[in-house]
mmCIF file of all heavy atoms in Angstrom:
data_model
loop_
_atom_site.group_PDB
_atom_site.id
_atom_site.type_symbol
_atom_site.label_atom_id
_atom_site.label_comp_id
_atom_site.label_asym_id
_atom_site.label_seq_id
_atom_site.Cartn_x
_atom_site.Cartn_y
_atom_site.Cartn_z
ATOM 1 N N VAL A 913 27.613 42.846 357.089
ATOM 2 C CA VAL A 913 27.817 43.665 355.891
ATOM 3 C C VAL A 913 28.821 44.774 356.173
ATOM 4 O O VAL A 913 29.744 45.018 355.381
ATOM 5 C CB VAL A 913 26.477 44.258 355.394
ATOM 6 C CG1 VAL A 913 26.721 45.304 354.300
ATOM 7 C CG2 VAL A 913 25.577 43.158 354.860
ATOM 8 N N TYR A 914 28.648 45.448 357.318
ATOM 9 C CA TYR A 914 29.570 46.541 357.656
ATOM 10 C C TYR A 914 30.956 46.023 358.030
ATOM 11 O O TYR A 914 31.973 46.483 357.492
ATOM 12 C CB TYR A 914 29.002 47.379 358.805
ATOM 13 C CG TYR A 914 30.035 48.325 359.391
ATOM 14 C CD1 TYR A 914 30.451 49.454 358.675
ATOM 15 C CD2 TYR A 914 30.622 48.073 360.634
ATOM 16 C CE1 TYR A 914 31.428 50.305 359.192
ATOM 17 C CE2 TYR A 914 31.585 48.923 361.154
ATOM 18 C CZ TYR A 914 31.989 50.031 360.432
ATOM 19 O OH TYR A 914 32.958 50.867 360.943
ATOM 20 N N ALA A 916 32.609 43.395 357.383
ATOM 21 C CA ALA A 916 33.391 42.700 356.367
ATOM 22 C C ALA A 916 33.435 43.461 355.044
ATOM 23 O O ALA A 916 34.070 43.017 354.095
ATOM 24 C CB ALA A 916 32.813 41.299 356.130
ATOM 25 N N GLY A 917 32.733 44.603 354.978
ATOM 26 C CA GLY A 917 32.734 45.401 353.761
ATOM 27 C C GLY A 917 32.131 44.668 352.579
ATOM 28 O O GLY A 917 32.678 44.692 351.480
ATOM 29 N N LEU A 918 30.992 44.035 352.795
ATOM 30 C CA LEU A 918 30.410 43.162 351.771
ATOM 31 C C LEU A 918 29.399 43.872 350.883
ATOM 32 O O LEU A 918 28.707 44.796 351.315
ATOM 33 C CB LEU A 918 29.711 41.974 352.437
ATOM 34 C CG LEU A 918 30.568 41.077 353.332
ATOM 35 C CD1 LEU A 918 29.689 39.995 353.959
ATOM 36 C CD2 LEU A 918 31.710 40.459 352.546
ATOM 37 N N ARG A 919 29.329 43.440 349.643
ATOM 38 C CA ARG A 919 28.183 43.753 348.797
ATOM 39 C C ARG A 919 27.033 42.902 349.327
ATOM 40 O O ARG A 919 27.246 41.792 349.812
ATOM 41 C CB ARG A 919 28.463 43.409 347.337
ATOM 42 C CG ARG A 919 29.688 44.125 346.745
ATOM 43 C CD ARG A 919 29.928 43.665 345.315
ATOM 44 N NE ARG A 919 31.080 44.326 344.697
ATOM 45 C CZ ARG A 919 32.319 43.838 344.662
ATOM 46 N NH1 ARG A 919 32.565 42.641 345.207
ATOM 47 N NH2 ARG A 919 33.293 44.503 344.087
ATOM 48 N N ILE A 920 25.806 43.385 349.195
ATOM 49 C CA ILE A 920 24.696 42.644 349.777
ATOM 50 C C ILE A 920 24.545 41.271 349.126
ATOM 51 O O ILE A 920 24.219 40.281 349.796
ATOM 52 C CB ILE A 920 23.370 43.455 349.675
ATOM 53 C CG1 ILE A 920 22.236 42.718 350.393
ATOM 54 C CG2 ILE A 920 23.026 43.755 348.244
ATOM 55 C CD1 ILE A 920 22.511 42.390 351.852
ATOM 56 N N GLU A 922 26.905 39.375 348.094
ATOM 57 C CA GLU A 922 27.932 38.514 348.693
ATOM 58 C C GLU A 922 27.484 38.029 350.059
ATOM 59 O O GLU A 922 27.655 36.849 350.402
ATOM 60 C CB GLU A 922 29.247 39.287 348.811
ATOM 61 C CG GLU A 922 29.856 39.684 347.477
ATOM 62 C CD GLU A 922 31.024 40.654 347.618
ATOM 63 O OE1 GLU A 922 31.233 41.184 348.735
ATOM 64 O OE2 GLU A 922 31.721 40.872 346.624
ATOM 65 N N ARG A 949 37.592 35.566 347.294
ATOM 66 C CA ARG A 949 38.518 36.344 348.116
ATOM 67 C C ARG A 949 38.223 36.072 349.586
ATOM 68 O O ARG A 949 37.193 35.476 349.935
ATOM 69 C CB ARG A 949 38.401 37.838 347.832
ATOM 70 C CG ARG A 949 37.186 38.535 348.430
ATOM 71 C CD ARG A 949 37.209 40.034 348.174
ATOM 72 N NE ARG A 949 36.196 40.754 348.911
ATOM 73 C CZ ARG A 949 34.929 40.872 348.561
ATOM 74 N NH1 ARG A 949 34.500 40.284 347.460
ATOM 75 N NH2 ARG A 949 34.073 41.555 349.308
ATOM 76 N N THR A 1006 22.160 53.341 351.856
ATOM 77 C CA THR A 1006 21.764 52.025 351.370
ATOM 78 C C THR A 1006 22.664 50.979 352.016
ATOM 79 O O THR A 1006 23.587 51.317 352.770
ATOM 80 C CB THR A 1006 21.907 51.938 349.837
ATOM 81 O OG1 THR A 1006 23.302 52.049 349.504
ATOM 82 C CG2 THR A 1006 21.137 53.052 349.148
ATOM 83 N N LEU A 1007 22.415 49.721 351.701
ATOM 84 C CA LEU A 1007 23.282 48.664 352.225
ATOM 85 C C LEU A 1007 24.714 48.837 351.723
ATOM 86 O O LEU A 1007 25.666 48.510 352.426
ATOM 87 C CB LEU A 1007 22.729 47.296 351.821
ATOM 88 C CG LEU A 1007 21.431 46.885 352.523
ATOM 89 C CD1 LEU A 1007 20.746 45.766 351.780
ATOM 90 C CD2 LEU A 1007 21.717 46.480 353.967
ATOM 91 N N HIS A 1008 24.853 49.374 350.519
ATOM 92 C CA HIS A 1008 26.197 49.600 349.974
ATOM 93 C C HIS A 1008 26.901 50.725 350.734
ATOM 94 O O HIS A 1008 28.130 50.793 350.734
ATOM 95 C CB HIS A 1008 26.114 49.937 348.483
ATOM 96 C CG HIS A 1008 27.279 49.422 347.700
ATOM 97 N ND1 HIS A 1008 27.479 48.081 347.454
ATOM 98 C CD2 HIS A 1008 28.337 50.064 347.123
ATOM 99 C CE1 HIS A 1008 28.591 47.922 346.740
ATOM 100 N NE2 HIS A 1008 29.131 49.108 346.536
ATOM 101 N N THR A 1009 26.123 51.592 351.391
ATOM 102 C CA THR A 1009 26.717 52.654 352.202
ATOM 103 C C THR A 1009 27.511 52.056 353.361
ATOM 104 O O THR A 1009 28.536 52.607 353.771
ATOM 105 C CB THR A 1009 25.619 53.589 352.745
ATOM 106 O OG1 THR A 1009 24.873 54.115 351.645
ATOM 107 C CG2 THR A 1009 26.218 54.747 353.539
ATOM 108 N N LEU A 1010 27.057 50.925 353.893
ATOM 109 C CA LEU A 1010 27.788 50.249 354.962
ATOM 110 C C LEU A 1010 29.149 49.770 354.462
ATOM 111 O O LEU A 1010 30.149 49.836 355.177
ATOM 112 C CB LEU A 1010 26.978 49.069 355.499
ATOM 113 C CG LEU A 1010 25.649 49.407 356.185
ATOM 114 C CD1 LEU A 1010 24.916 48.139 356.597
ATOM 115 C CD2 LEU A 1010 25.887 50.299 357.410
ATOM 116 N N ARG A 1011 29.196 49.302 353.225
ATOM 117 C CA ARG A 1011 30.471 48.879 352.610
ATOM 118 C C ARG A 1011 31.395 50.078 352.417
ATOM 119 O O ARG A 1011 32.589 50.011 352.707
ATOM 120 C CB ARG A 1011 30.159 48.195 351.272
ATOM 121 C CG ARG A 1011 31.386 47.799 350.437
ATOM 122 C CD ARG A 1011 30.889 47.043 349.205
ATOM 123 N NE ARG A 1011 31.842 47.017 348.098
ATOM 124 C CZ ARG A 1011 32.773 46.086 347.925
ATOM 125 N NH1 ARG A 1011 32.902 45.111 348.817
ATOM 126 N NH2 ARG A 1011 33.584 46.120 346.885
ATOM 127 N N HIS A 1012 30.829 51.182 351.916
ATOM 128 C CA HIS A 1012 31.618 52.404 351.762
ATOM 129 C C HIS A 1012 32.167 52.877 353.114
ATOM 130 O O HIS A 1012 33.320 53.315 353.215
ATOM 131 C CB HIS A 1012 30.762 53.520 351.163
ATOM 132 C CG HIS A 1012 30.383 53.309 349.732
ATOM 133 N ND1 HIS A 1012 31.254 52.817 348.795
ATOM 134 C CD2 HIS A 1012 29.213 53.554 349.070
ATOM 135 C CE1 HIS A 1012 30.643 52.751 347.617
ATOM 136 N NE2 HIS A 1012 29.405 53.187 347.766
ATOM 137 N N SER A 1013 31.328 52.784 354.126
ATOM 138 C CA SER A 1013 31.729 53.242 355.459
ATOM 139 C C SER A 1013 32.853 52.374 356.018
ATOM 140 O O SER A 1013 33.796 52.874 356.629
ATOM 141 C CB SER A 1013 30.519 53.219 356.399
ATOM 142 O OG SER A 1013 29.466 54.019 355.873
ATOM 143 N N PHE A 1014 32.753 51.055 355.822
ATOM 144 C CA PHE A 1014 33.799 50.118 356.244
ATOM 145 C C PHE A 1014 35.145 50.510 355.636
ATOM 146 O O PHE A 1014 36.163 50.621 356.334
ATOM 147 C CB PHE A 1014 33.401 48.702 355.812
ATOM 148 C CG PHE A 1014 34.513 47.682 355.844
ATOM 149 C CD1 PHE A 1014 34.894 47.079 357.034
ATOM 150 C CD2 PHE A 1014 35.166 47.312 354.666
ATOM 151 C CE1 PHE A 1014 35.908 46.118 357.060
ATOM 152 C CE2 PHE A 1014 36.176 46.361 354.683
ATOM 153 C CZ PHE A 1014 36.546 45.767 355.881
ATOM 154 N N ALA A 1015 35.168 50.746 354.328
ATOM 155 C CA ALA A 1015 36.412 51.093 353.637
ATOM 156 C C ALA A 1015 36.960 52.421 354.123
ATOM 157 O O ALA A 1015 38.174 52.565 354.354
ATOM 158 C CB ALA A 1015 36.170 51.137 352.132
ATOM 159 N N THR A 1016 36.099 53.399 354.292
ATOM 160 C CA THR A 1016 36.535 54.729 354.730
ATOM 161 C C THR A 1016 37.081 54.687 356.150
ATOM 162 O O THR A 1016 38.107 55.306 356.460
ATOM 163 C CB THR A 1016 35.364 55.727 354.645
ATOM 164 O OG1 THR A 1016 34.839 55.723 353.318
ATOM 165 C CG2 THR A 1016 35.827 57.135 354.988
ATOM 166 N N LEU A 1031 40.514 43.520 350.390
ATOM 167 C CA LEU A 1031 39.357 43.176 351.210
ATOM 168 C C LEU A 1031 38.045 43.446 350.481
ATOM 169 O O LEU A 1031 37.071 42.704 350.622
ATOM 170 C CB LEU A 1031 39.387 43.962 352.522
ATOM 171 C CG LEU A 1031 40.505 43.596 353.503
ATOM 172 C CD1 LEU A 1031 40.542 44.585 354.660
ATOM 173 C CD2 LEU A 1031 40.313 42.170 354.022
ATOM 174 N N LEU A 1032 38.026 44.520 349.688
ATOM 175 C CA LEU A 1032 36.811 44.880 348.955
ATOM 176 C C LEU A 1032 36.653 44.089 347.659
ATOM 177 O O LEU A 1032 35.552 44.025 347.101
ATOM 178 C CB LEU A 1032 36.816 46.379 348.628
ATOM 179 C CG LEU A 1032 36.751 47.335 349.823
ATOM 180 C CD1 LEU A 1032 36.821 48.774 349.345
ATOM 181 C CD2 LEU A 1032 35.496 47.122 350.642
ATOM 182 N N GLY A 1033 37.746 43.518 347.160
ATOM 183 C CA GLY A 1033 37.685 42.764 345.915
ATOM 184 C C GLY A 1033 37.687 43.644 344.686
ATOM 185 O O GLY A 1033 37.123 43.273 343.648
ATOM 186 N N HIS A 1034 38.332 44.813 344.779
ATOM 187 C CA HIS A 1034 38.427 45.707 343.622
ATOM 188 C C HIS A 1034 39.514 45.238 342.667
ATOM 189 O O HIS A 1034 40.601 44.848 343.102
ATOM 190 C CB HIS A 1034 38.751 47.135 344.071
ATOM 191 C CG HIS A 1034 37.603 47.830 344.717
ATOM 192 N ND1 HIS A 1034 37.741 48.950 345.509
ATOM 193 C CD2 HIS A 1034 36.265 47.565 344.694
ATOM 194 C CE1 HIS A 1034 36.562 49.347 345.934
ATOM 195 N NE2 HIS A 1034 35.653 48.523 345.452
ATOM 196 N N TYR A 1043 37.960 56.500 348.130
ATOM 197 C CA TYR A 1043 37.746 56.692 349.567
ATOM 198 C C TYR A 1043 38.707 57.716 350.165
ATOM 199 O O TYR A 1043 38.471 58.230 351.253
ATOM 200 C CB TYR A 1043 37.849 55.348 350.296
ATOM 201 C CG TYR A 1043 36.786 54.382 349.847
ATOM 202 C CD1 TYR A 1043 37.123 53.239 349.117
ATOM 203 C CD2 TYR A 1043 35.441 54.630 350.099
ATOM 204 C CE1 TYR A 1043 36.151 52.365 348.661
ATOM 205 C CE2 TYR A 1043 34.465 53.758 349.641
ATOM 206 C CZ TYR A 1043 34.820 52.630 348.924
ATOM 207 O OH TYR A 1043 33.841 51.788 348.471
#
Side-chain angles (χ1 to χ4, degrees):
V913 170
Y914 168 72
L918 301 177
R919 302 177 180 95
I920 185 56
E922 295 170 349
R949 76 176 190 279
T1006 65
L1007 290 162
H1008 214 70
T1009 303
L1010 296 177
R1011 175 176 159 89
H1012 290 319
S1013 303
F1014 165 80
T1016 305
L1031 292 172
L1032 295 178
H1034 287 162
Y1043 297 112

